[in-house]
C-alpha cells in the first residue's frame, strides 16, 4: 500500500483551533491579542496554523506570515518581519511605505533603492535609524493595514528568533497596542534547554495583557489511526495503529514518516531520513552523554537510574553529568520517581539501532545479568519478561530459551495472553537452536505447541492458532494419544468456524469419534463439553446428546464444574425460550464467580446480555454487557470471548437510542480488532449506525461488513443481519436494482424462517424494498414468509406489525401467489388488517392506516426510538392518504424530534420533506395546503396520464402555463418527474376528491 507523504486532515486539534478562532474574534472587536503556540518538533504546529490561516482569510482577515531562520543569535535580524513586509510590498506596492522607504529598508533591503535625494525625516542614515523609531513605524504600518480589515501575523519557529526579532515582538505586544491585530507565534518546547534565551522572553510575555498560551500535545491512539487512514487511503488494521502509535507516541510528523516508508506494520526499520534527523540531535551532546544514551537505549524507552548505574558501571558523578546533558538537550526526561524516559520512543530506537553488533550483545547481556541478580531494579512483575528479552537480544540461546518459558508462565499468571503467546513463539523459535531444549524445559515439543495454541486462541490470534493446530496434528500420534489428537481437532474445527472458513463439523466429528473409546477422565469431560458447545448453533439435537454424555462422564469423575460453559451455551440453544433460561443463566453466573472460572463467567454474561436484549430489556442487557466487558478486560480475554460483550453493549445502546455511546463502544471494539467473525457484529452494527446517520465513512464500513458474505461459511445469526444491511444500504443509496437483488438473496436464505430474531428485521427491509419498487412478486414472497415466521418477543412483534402495514399498502398483480392479508396479520397480536382489493389481491389507498397505527403502538411498547421514528413517518403518509391531518402533523413532529435526538439526518430530512409535501410548516402544525386548487386540478390530470398539451386543452390554459404548473408541482412535492408526482399524490391523498368542473361550465365564467 502506497502512502501519501503528508496528511491532509487536521486531527485532534479542534479545541486549539477553536481557541485561535476565539482570539481572532477578540482582535476583530478591537482588542489586540497574542497567542503563543508551543509544542515539540513535528507535533503539528504548522498544520494547525495552515488550517487557521485558511479560516482567517475566509473570514475576511489579512494574513501575513514570517519564518524565523535557524541561524542563531548572529543570524539575519528581523527575518520573519522582513518576510511579512515583503508580502505587503508584493500586494500593496511601495505606496504602503510611502515616505519611509529608507527606514523600512533596514527590514526590507529592496526598499533602499529609492529616488535620489530621498532621505529619512530624521536625517539619519538607514543603518543608524533608532530602533524605537523603526518599531513605531512597523506598528503604525500594521495599524493602517488593520484599519481596512483585521490583521493576522503568523511568526513560526520563535525558538530560532534573534534578539532583534524578539524585541520587536515584545514591542508589538506590550507597547504598540495596535488594534485589530492578532499575533500568533509558534515555538518548539523540546528546543528550550535551561539557558535558551526564549525562556525568559516567554516568561515576560506571559505577564502582558492579551497574551494566551496554547500547548499542542501528542495525538492519542485514535488520532494516530485517523492520520494513517488519511495517508493510506483506507482504514488501517488495529495492530498497525498500535505499532505506529507505540513507536511514534502520537507525533504526526513521525507517523507520516513511518507511513511513507511502506506498510506501517512491516516497517521494522526506521527510514534513513528519519534516523538521520533523530541522530543529529544526539550528535550535539558531549561524548560521555552519547555513550550513556547508548547504554540506556539497550534498556528500553523507560529506565531506572539504579539499573542504568548498575549496567553502565560509571562513577555516580560522571553518570549524573551525562544524564544532565541528555535532559538539557531534551532527549531524555526525568520524572519525580527517579526514573528516566526517552522523550520519543523513536529517539531510543534510532540510538539502539546505531549500536555496533558486539556492543549490542554485550549491553543486553549486562542488563539480563543485572536484573537476574536484582529483580527489584525493574517494575514489579516485569523481571521475567525483561530477562527473557535481554538474553534473546544478547544471542545467548540456552538462557533465552529457559527465560522465555518462565516469562510466558508469568505472563499467563497476569492474564497477559498476548504476551504469553509471543514468548512461547520465541520458545518454539529457540527450540531448533538449542540441542537439548526438551531436557532443559522438561517437556516435549508438542506440549510447547499446545501451550502456544491455547495462548494464541485466548489472545484472539485465531489465524496463528489455526496454523499451530496443523503443526500439532502433524506431530501427534492419534493411535497412541487419541484424546490429545481429538483436542487438536476440536480446536481446529472451532477456529475454522470462527474464521468463516467452514462450519468445522468434519473436524469436530472426528474429534468426537476419537474421544468415544477413551476412558472417562477430567480431560475427556472437558473435551466432550467443548464439542457440545460447538454444536449448539449447528445441530442442537446432537449438541444435547453429547452434553448428556459429558454430564454422565462428569458424574463418574467428579468434574462437574468443567461442564459450566456447555450448560450456559445449552441454556441459550435456539429451540428454548430465552425467558425460561434467564434464571438458570444467573445461577450459572453465580457458580462461575464462586469457583473463579473467569471464562465461564464471561460466557455467562455474553449470553445473559443477549437473552435480555431478545426479551426487550435493553437497559439490563447493556448493564450485563458492561459488567462482562470489565471482567473480560480483567482476565485478558477482551479480544476473544470479550469481543462479543462490546458489540452486545453497542446493540443495546442503539436500541435505547444512546447512539453516541454505541458508536464509542464500537470504536473500542475496533481498537481491539477482534479476529474472524468475532469482529463482524460490531462492524455490522457500526455500519448500520453510520448509514442511519449518513456518516461520510458509512459506505466504507458497509463494504467491509458485506465482504463477510463472501466467506465460505457464516453462522446464520451472523449472515442474516448482513442480508438486512445490504438491503438498507441499497435503499439508502436509492439503488432499486441492488435493493431487489439483495432482497431476493435474503428470501433465498434457507435459515430465514428458523431465526425470528434475525429474520423479522430482514423481512421488514425486504417489504420496504418491495413497496418502494412496486414489485408485487417480491411483496408476495415476503407475505408468504411472514405467514410462517413466528413472532414471540417485543421487537419481533413490532417488526411483524410493520411488515403487515407495509404489505397492506402494496398492490399485488392478479397472478401473484399472494398469502391472504389475514395470514400476514396473524403473526401480529392485534395487528391484523382485513384489506379489500381488486380480484382479491389489490390494496386500497388509505387502507394501511390501521395497520400503521398498530405498528407504531408496537414500537412504542418496544422502546426503540429509531424504528419508531420510521414507523411514524409511514403512519403520517397513511394518515395523509386518509385525510387525517391532525394525526399527520403529530406523527411528523415526533419523528423529527427523534431524528434530531439521534442525529439521524436522513430520517430528519424525510420528515421535513413529508411535511412540505402535505402542506405543514413550523413545528409540524397544519398550514395552508401545499398545492393550490389549480395545481390540484393539474396534478389530477397528470395522474390520469395526460400530457401538458392535453392538460392545457382540458383546463383552457396554454401549454406553457400547464408546463409551469407541472414544474411547480414537481418542486413542491420534492420528486424528480411526473410519474413520481402522480404516485406520491395517490399515496398521500393530495388530490381533491371533487372532480374538476366540466369545460362547458368553465366557458360560461
Amino acid at each position: 500500500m502506497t502512502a501519501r507523504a503528508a496528511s491532509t486532515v487536521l486531527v485532534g486539534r479542534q479545541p486549539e483551533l477553536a481557541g485561535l478562532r476565539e482570539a481572532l474574534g477578540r482582535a476583530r472587536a478591537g482588542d489586540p491579542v497574542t497567542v503563543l503556540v508551543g509544542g515539540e518538533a513535528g507535533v503539528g504546529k504548522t498544520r494547525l496554523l495552515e488550517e487557521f490561516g485558511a479560516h482567517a482569510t475566509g473570514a475576511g482577515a489579512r494574513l501575513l506570515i514570517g519564518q524565523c531562520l535557524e541561524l542563531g543569535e548572529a543570524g539575519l535580524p528581523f527575518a520573519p518581519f522582513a518576510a511579512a513586509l515583503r508580502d505587503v510590498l508584493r500586494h500593496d506596492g511601495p505606496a504602503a511605505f510611502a515616505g519611509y522607504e529608507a527606514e523600512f529598508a533596514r527590514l526590507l533591503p529592496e526598499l533602499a533603492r529609492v529616488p535620489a535625494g530621498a532621505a529619512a525625516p530624521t536625517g539619519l542614515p538607514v543603518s543608524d535609524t533608532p530602533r524605537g523609531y523603526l518599531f513605531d513605524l512597523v506598528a503604525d504600518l500594521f495599524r493602517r493595514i488593520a484599519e481596512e480589515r483585521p490583521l493576522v501575523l503568523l511568526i513560526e519557529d520563535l525558538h530560532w528568533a534573534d534578539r532583534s526579532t524578539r524585541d520587536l515582538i515584545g514591542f508589538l505586544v506590550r507597547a504598540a497596542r495596535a488594534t485589530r491585530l492578532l499575533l500568533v507565534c509558534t515555538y518548539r518546547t523540546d528546543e528550550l534547554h535551561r539557558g535558551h534565551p526564549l525562556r525568559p522572553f516567554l516568561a515576560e510575555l506571559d505577564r502582558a495583557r492579551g497574551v494566551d498560551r496554547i500547548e499542542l500535545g501528542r495525538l492519542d491512539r485514535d488520532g494516530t489511526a485517523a492520520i494513517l487512514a488519511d495517508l493510506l487511503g483506507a482504514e488501517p488494521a488495529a495492530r498497525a495503529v498500535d505499532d505506529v502509535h507505540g513507536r511514534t507516541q502520537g507525533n504526526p510528523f513521525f507517523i507520516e514518516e513511518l507511513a511513507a516508508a511502506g506498510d506501517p506494520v512491516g516497517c521494522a526499520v526506521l527510514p534513513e531520513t528519519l534516523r538521520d534527523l533523530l541522530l543529529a540531535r544526539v550528535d550535539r551532546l558531549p561524548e560521555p552523554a552519547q555513550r550513556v544514551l547508548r547504554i540506556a537505549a539497550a534498556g528500553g524507552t523507560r529506565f531506572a537510574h539504579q539499573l542504568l548505574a548498575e549496567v553502565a558501571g560509571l562513577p555516580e558523578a560522571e553518570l549524573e553529568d551525562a544524564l544532565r546533558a541528555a535532559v538539557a538537550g531534551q532527549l531524555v526526561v526525568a520524572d519525580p520517581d527517579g526514573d528516566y524516559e526517552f522523550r520519543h520512543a523513536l529517539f531510543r530506537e534510532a540510538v539502539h539501532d546505531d549500536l555496533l553488533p558486539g556492543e549490542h550483545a554485550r549491553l543486553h547481556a549486562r542488563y539480563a545479568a543485572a536484573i537476574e541478580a536484582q529483580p527489584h531494579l525493574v517494575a514489579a512483575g516485569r523481571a521475567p519478561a525483561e530477562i527473557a528479552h535481554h538474553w534473546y537480544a544478547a544471542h545467548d540461546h540456552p538462557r533465552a530459551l529457559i527465560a522465555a518459558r518462565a516469562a510466558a508462565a508469568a505472563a499467563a499468571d497476569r492474564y497477559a495472553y498476548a504476551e504469553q503467546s509471543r514468548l512461547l513463539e520465541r520458545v518454539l523459535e529457540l527450540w531448533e537452536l538449542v540441542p537439548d531444549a526438551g531436557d532443559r524445559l522438561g517437556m516435549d515439543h508438542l506440549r510447547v505447541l499446545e501451550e502456544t495454541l491455547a495462548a494464541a486462541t485466548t489472545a484472539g490470534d485465531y489465524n496463528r492458532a489455526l496454523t499451530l493446530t496443523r503443526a500439532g496434528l502433524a506431530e501427534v500420534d492419534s493411535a497412541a494419544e487419541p484424546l490429545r489428537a481429538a483436542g487438536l481437532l476440536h480446536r481446529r474445527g472451532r477456529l475454522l468456524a470462527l474464521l468463516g472458513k467452514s462450519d468445522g463439523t468434519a473436524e469436530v466429528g472426528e474429534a468426537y469419534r476419537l474421544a468415544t473409546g477413551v476412558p472417562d477422565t477430567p480431560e475427556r469431560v472437558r473435551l466432550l463439553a467443548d464439542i457440545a458447545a460447538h454444536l449448539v448453533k449447528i445441530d442442537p439435537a446432537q449438541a444435547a446428546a453429547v452434553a448428556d454424555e459429558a454430564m454422565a462422564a462428569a458424574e463418574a469423575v467428579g468434574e462437574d464444574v468443567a461442564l459450566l460453559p456447555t450448560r450456559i451455551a445449552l441454556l441459550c440453544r435456539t429451540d428454548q425460550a430465552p425467558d425460561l433460561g434467564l434464571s438458570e443463566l444467573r445461577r450459572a453466573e453465580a457458580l462461575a464467580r464462586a469457583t473463579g472460572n473467569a471464562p465461564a463467567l464471561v460466557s455467562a454474561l455474553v449470553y445473559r446480555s443477549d437473552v435480555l436484549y431478545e426479551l426487550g430489556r435493553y437497559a439490563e442487557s447493556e448493564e450485563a454487557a458492561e459488567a462482562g466487558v470489565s471482567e473480560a478486560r480483567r482476565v485478558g480475554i477482551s479480544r476473544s470471548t470479550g469481543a462479543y460483550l462490546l458489540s452486545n453493549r453497542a446493540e443495546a445502546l442503539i436500541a435505547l437510542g444512546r447512539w453516541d455511546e454505541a458508536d464509542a463502544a464500537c470504536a473500542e471494539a475496533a481498537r481491539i480488532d477482534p479476529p474472524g467473525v468475532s469482529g463482524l457484529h460490531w462492524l455490522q452494527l457500526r455500519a448500520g449506525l453510520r448509514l442511519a446517520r449518513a456518516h461520510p465513512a458509512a459506505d466504507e464500513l458497509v463494504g467491509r461488513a458485506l465482504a463477510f458474505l463472501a466467506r465460505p461459511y457464516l453462522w446464520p445469526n451472523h449472515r442474516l443481519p448482513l442480508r438486512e444491511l445490504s438491503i438498507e444500504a441499497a435503499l439508502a443509496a436509492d439503488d432499486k436494482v441492488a435493493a431487489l437483488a439483495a432482497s431476493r438473496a435474503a428470501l433465498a436464505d434457507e435459515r430465514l424462517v428458523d431465526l425470528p430474531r434475525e429474520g423479522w428485521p430482514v423481512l421488514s427491509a425486504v417489504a420496504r424494498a418491495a413497496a418502494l419498487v412496486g414489485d408485487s412478486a417480491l411483496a408476495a414472497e415476503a407475505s408468504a414468509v411472514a405467514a410462517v415466521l413466528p413472532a414471540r418477543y417485543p421487537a419481533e412483534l413490532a417488526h411483524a406489525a410493520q411488515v403487515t402495514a407495509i404489505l397492506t399498502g402494496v398492490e399485488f398483480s392478479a397472478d401473484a401467489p399472494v398469502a391472504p392479508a389475514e395470514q400476514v396479520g396473524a403473526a401480529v397480536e392485534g395487528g391484523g388488517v382485513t384489506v379489500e382489493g381488486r380480484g382479491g389481491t389489490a390494496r386500497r389507498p388509505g387502507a394501511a392506516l390501521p395497520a400503521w397505527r398498530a405498528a407504531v403502538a408496537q414500537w412504542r411498547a418496544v422502546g426503540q426510538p429509531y424504528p419508531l421514528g420510521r414507523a411514524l413517518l409511514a403512519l403520517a403518509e397513511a394518515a395523509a392518504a386518509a385525510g387525517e391531518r391532525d394525526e399527520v402533523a403529530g406523527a411528523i413532529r415526533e419523528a423529527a424530534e427523534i431524528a434530531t435526538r439521534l442525529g439521524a439526518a436522513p430520517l430528519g430530512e424525510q420528515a421535513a420533506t413529508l411535511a412540505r409535501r402535505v402542506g405543514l410548516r413550523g413545528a409540524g402544525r397544519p398550514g395552508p395546503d401545499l398545492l393550490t386548487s389549480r395545481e390540484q386540478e393539474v396534478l389530477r390530470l397528470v395522474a390520469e396520464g395526460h400530457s401538458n398539451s392535453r392538460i392545457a386543452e382540458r383546463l383552457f390554459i396554454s401549454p406553457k402555463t400547464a408546463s409551469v404548473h407541472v414544474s411547480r408541482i414537481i418542486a413542491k412535492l420534492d420528486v424528480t418527474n411526473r410519474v413520481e408526482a402522480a404516485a406520491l399524490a395517490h399515496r398521500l391523498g393530495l388530490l381533491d376528491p371533487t372532480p374538476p368542473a366540466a369545460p362547458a361550465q368553465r366557458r360560461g365564467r
Side-chain angles (χ1 to χ4, degrees):
M1 185 179 294
T2 302
R4 196 169 50 249
S7 176
T8 59
V9 297
L10 183 69
V11 175
R13 303 304 187 200
Q14 281 66 37
E16 293 84 0
L17 188 59
L20 288 171
R21 289 177 175 176
E22 188 270 339
L24 177 59
R26 286 155 51 197
R28 187 187 299 277
D31 185 12
V33 182
T34 299
V35 180
L36 305 173
V37 181
E40 64 190 18
V43 82
K45 300 181 294 297
T46 298
R47 182 69 186 87
L48 174 66
L49 262 58
E50 287 174 353
E51 191 80 13
F52 172 66
H55 165 78
T57 303
R62 176 75 179 271
L63 184 67
L64 297 177
I65 302 174
Q67 180 87 36
C68 297
L69 304 179
E70 192 178 3
L71 299 175
E73 287 292 308
L76 184 66
F78 302 116
F81 288 99
L85 295 179
R86 190 167 289 111
D87 186 73
V88 174
L89 177 62
R90 184 166 52 252
H91 288 87
D92 301 341
F97 308 94
Y100 300 96
E101 290 88 348
E103 289 79 1
F104 278 106
R106 180 169 181 177
L107 301 178
L108 208 58
E110 49 262 51
L111 284 174
R113 297 188 292 272
V114 295
T122 59
L124 296 173
V126 172
S127 60
D128 294 333
T129 303
R131 289 206 321 161
Y133 179 57
L134 179 65
F135 288 5
D136 272 329
L137 289 177
V138 173
D140 184 65
L141 174 63
F142 289 158
R143 179 190 57 78
R144 284 187 280 115
I145 294 174
E147 284 178 352
E148 299 178 7
R149 48 182 174 153
L151 174 62
V152 178
L153 176 59
L154 305 180
I155 297 180
E156 292 201 71
D157 297 324
L158 198 58
H159 51 280
W160 289 331
D162 61 285
R163 172 68 181 272
S164 298
T165 296
R166 294 197 299 271
D167 289 346
L168 180 48
I169 290 173
F171 178 83
L172 291 174
V173 172
R174 291 175 300 186
R177 309 309 300 169
T179 58
R180 289 161 56 90
L181 169 65
L182 171 60
L183 175 62
V184 182
C185 303
T186 70
Y187 62 94
R188 291 183 185 174
T189 53
D190 52 344
E191 293 278 355
L192 303 187
H193 54 77
R194 188 179 299 274
H196 198 289
L198 190 60
R199 278 180 174 270
F201 178 70
L202 294 176
E204 291 176 12
L205 291 186
D206 280 337
R207 294 195 291 270
R209 183 172 63 87
V211 176
D212 298 337
R213 284 263 201 147
I214 292 178
E215 292 290 333
L216 284 189
R218 299 169 184 172
L219 299 176
D220 59 14
R221 184 192 179 282
D222 289 343
T224 299
I227 289 184
L228 283 175
D230 178 61
L231 292 172
L232 302 174
E235 188 170 335
R239 290 194 175 184
V241 177
D242 290 338
D243 179 68
V244 173
H245 186 68
R247 297 175 72 188
T248 65
Q249 297 177 300
N251 183 290
F253 172 71
F254 293 161
I255 296 169
E256 292 174 351
E257 287 293 309
L258 282 187
D263 183 354
V265 177
C267 183
V269 180
L270 278 178
E272 289 292 336
T273 53
L274 182 55
R275 181 188 293 106
D276 292 344
L277 184 66
L278 295 169
L279 291 178
R281 296 278 302 276
V282 178
D283 291 340
R284 298 176 194 168
L285 296 178
E287 177 54 35
Q290 293 185 41
R291 186 166 59 254
V292 168
L293 271 189
R294 289 195 293 272
I295 297 171
T301 302
R302 186 177 179 85
F303 52 93
H305 181 91
Q306 189 177 353
L307 176 59
L308 180 63
E310 189 73 24
V311 174
L314 296 173
E316 190 67 23
E318 185 177 337
L319 178 63
E320 288 179 352
D321 287 343
L323 286 172
R324 185 175 289 108
V327 170
Q330 300 289 320
L331 295 175
V332 170
V333 293
D335 63 28
D337 297 331
D339 290 341
Y340 297 91
E341 184 176 7
F342 280 88
R343 178 172 288 276
H344 281 293
L346 288 184
F347 272 127
R348 179 259 165 193
E349 191 174 330
V351 174
H352 183 262
D353 290 349
D354 203 43
L355 294 173
L356 296 173
E359 186 181 23
H360 178 279
R362 186 171 60 256
L363 285 175
H364 279 288
R366 283 158 62 181
Y367 270 105
I371 297 170
E372 277 185 337
Q374 303 180 68
H376 65 276
L377 293 178
V378 295
R382 288 300 305 165
E386 293 284 343
I387 294 167
H389 163 70
H390 288 298
W391 282 129
Y392 181 77
H395 307 301
D396 189 327
H397 298 148
R399 286 176 170 169
L401 175 78
I402 297 171
R405 176 68 182 82
D413 291 339
R414 302 195 316 272
Y415 305 118
Y417 298 110
E419 183 177 353
Q420 179 197 14
S421 174
R422 188 167 55 250
L423 287 162
L424 288 172
E425 291 278 4
R426 182 170 294 171
V427 172
L428 290 173
E429 174 192 344
L430 292 169
W431 189 281
E432 305 300 327
L433 303 176
V434 180
D436 56 346
D439 294 335
R440 287 177 180 270
L441 295 179
M443 60 196 309
D444 61 15
H445 187 261
L446 181 57
R447 179 58 62 195
V448 179
L449 275 173
E450 289 170 331
E451 283 192 7
T452 312
L453 166 61
T457 303
T458 308
D461 191 356
Y462 294 161
N463 281 297
R464 179 55 182 164
L466 186 64
T467 301
L468 290 167
T469 61
R470 186 174 62 245
L473 287 169
E475 202 167 307
V476 70
D477 184 346
S478 58
E481 298 180 286
L483 206 58
R484 202 172 190 183
L488 288 168
L489 280 165
H490 164 259
R491 284 185 179 274
R492 185 168 181 80
R494 180 171 176 269
L495 288 166
L496 287 169
L498 287 170
L499 291 169
K501 296 178 181 293
S502 78
D503 61 6
T505 53
E507 290 76 11
V508 172
E510 178 62 14
Y512 179 68
R513 186 191 68 78
L514 287 173
T516 300
V518 178
D520 287 336
T521 61
E523 290 76 16
R524 181 174 184 271
V525 170
R526 285 191 286 270
L527 177 61
L528 291 175
D530 290 339
I531 291 173
H534 177 86
L535 292 172
V536 165
K537 291 182 181 179
I538 301 169
D539 188 342
Q542 186 182 2
V546 177
D548 288 341
E549 185 178 348
M551 290 174 187
E555 291 179 5
V557 298
E559 192 70 11
D560 188 57
V561 174
L563 294 172
L564 191 53
T566 305
R567 285 178 173 168
I568 292 169
L570 289 172
L571 286 171
C572 302
R573 64 184 184 271
T574 55
D575 61 343
Q576 179 164 317
D579 50 344
L580 296 178
L582 194 56
S583 59
E584 292 297 325
L585 276 174
R586 292 187 183 278
R587 280 198 287 271
E589 182 183 332
L591 178 59
R593 289 185 188 277
T595 57
N597 192 335
L601 174 58
V602 172
S603 294
L605 289 167
V606 169
Y607 284 111
R608 183 156 71 86
S609 66
D610 204 50
V611 168
L612 288 167
Y613 182 91
E614 189 160 2
L615 293 172
R617 294 158 64 173
Y618 304 124
E620 293 177 69
S621 173
E622 189 271 332
E623 290 173 3
E626 188 174 24
V629 167
S630 300
E631 184 65 22
R633 189 179 295 121
R634 183 184 71 82
V635 297
I637 55 175
S638 296
R639 214 170 159 259
S640 49
T641 310
Y644 294 105
L645 287 158
L646 281 170
S647 54
N648 279 8
R649 180 169 182 260
E651 187 175 32
L653 289 168
I654 290 171
L656 291 167
R658 291 156 59 182
W659 282 13
D660 289 339
E661 293 178 71
D663 191 68
C666 289
E668 186 177 352
R671 281 192 290 273
I672 66 173
D673 191 25
V677 296
S678 304
L680 173 57
H681 192 206
W682 77 262
L683 183 60
Q684 167 247 319
L685 290 173
R686 200 178 201 189
L689 191 61
R690 290 192 167 179
L691 202 62
R693 284 183 156 179
H695 191 283
D699 289 346
E700 191 265 338
L701 278 183
V702 169
R704 284 177 55 196
L706 296 184
F708 276 81
L709 287 172
R711 298 199 177 199
Y713 178 77
L714 280 180
W715 281 308
N717 62 315
H718 286 146
R719 186 176 63 247
L720 289 174
L722 291 181
R723 301 291 188 197
E724 178 196 0
L725 179 63
S726 64
I727 300 170
E728 294 289 357
L731 292 175
D734 197 26
D735 189 339
K736 296 177 181 178
V737 174
L740 288 177
S743 297
R744 291 196 170 93
L747 290 178
D749 196 300
E750 60 185 8
R751 297 300 302 274
L752 179 63
V753 296
D754 299 331
L755 302 173
R757 174 174 169 175
E758 291 81 15
W760 277 113
V762 172
L763 203 58
S764 290
V766 171
R768 288 178 58 227
L772 176 68
V773 179
D775 190 314
S776 59
L778 183 64
E781 289 183 58
S783 176
V785 173
V788 298
L789 188 63
R792 303 167 297 171
Y793 299 102
E796 296 169 10
L797 290 167
H799 275 297
Q802 182 167 296
V803 170
T804 298
I806 294 171
L807 296 179
T808 298
V810 176
E811 292 191 5
F812 297 99
S813 61
D815 58 349
V818 185
E822 304 91 277
Q823 289 183 356
V824 179
V828 189
E829 184 179 352
V833 179
T834 302
V835 182
E836 299 176 4
R838 296 185 298 274
T841 58
R843 303 301 187 219
R844 186 179 65 242
L849 181 57
W852 275 115
R853 285 172 177 161
V856 167
Q858 288 283 358
W859 280 119
R860 286 195 195 284
V862 169
Q864 292 191 33
Y866 183 63
L868 172 61
R870 282 177 142 183
L872 284 165
L873 286 186
L875 172 65
E877 286 198 10
E884 300 287 346
R885 289 187 58 81
D886 290 341
E887 191 168 9
V888 173
I892 291 177
R893 183 190 305 113
E894 186 177 357
E897 290 171 353
I898 290 172
T900 300
R901 187 169 73 250
L902 298 179
L907 181 64
E909 291 170 3
Q910 291 162 16
T913 299
L914 183 57
R916 289 195 303 271
R917 286 171 171 170
V918 298
L920 299 178
R921 62 182 179 182
R925 290 179 288 104
D929 288 339
L930 179 66
L931 303 179
T932 65
S933 59
R934 172 62 81 183
E935 287 168 346
Q936 287 186 354
E937 291 175 335
V938 172
L939 180 57
R940 182 182 303 103
L941 294 173
V942 167
E944 291 175 4
H946 295 296
S947 67
N948 287 353
S949 299
R950 182 59 179 154
I951 292 171
E953 291 177 9
R954 292 284 301 272
L955 299 181
F956 297 97
I957 57 179
S958 70
K960 181 176 181 180
T961 301
S963 175
V964 170
H965 281 309
V966 172
S967 297
R968 287 177 177 170
I969 290 167
I970 289 173
K972 286 185 177 182
L973 296 183
D974 196 16
V975 293
T976 57
N977 54 50
R978 302 160 62 96
V979 175
E980 289 185 10
L984 183 66
H986 279 299
R987 194 166 76 244
L988 298 183
L990 297 179
L991 300 178
D992 186 347
T994 304
Q1001 293 175 311
R1002 288 183 175 278
R1003 192 177 294 115
R1005 290 181 184 172

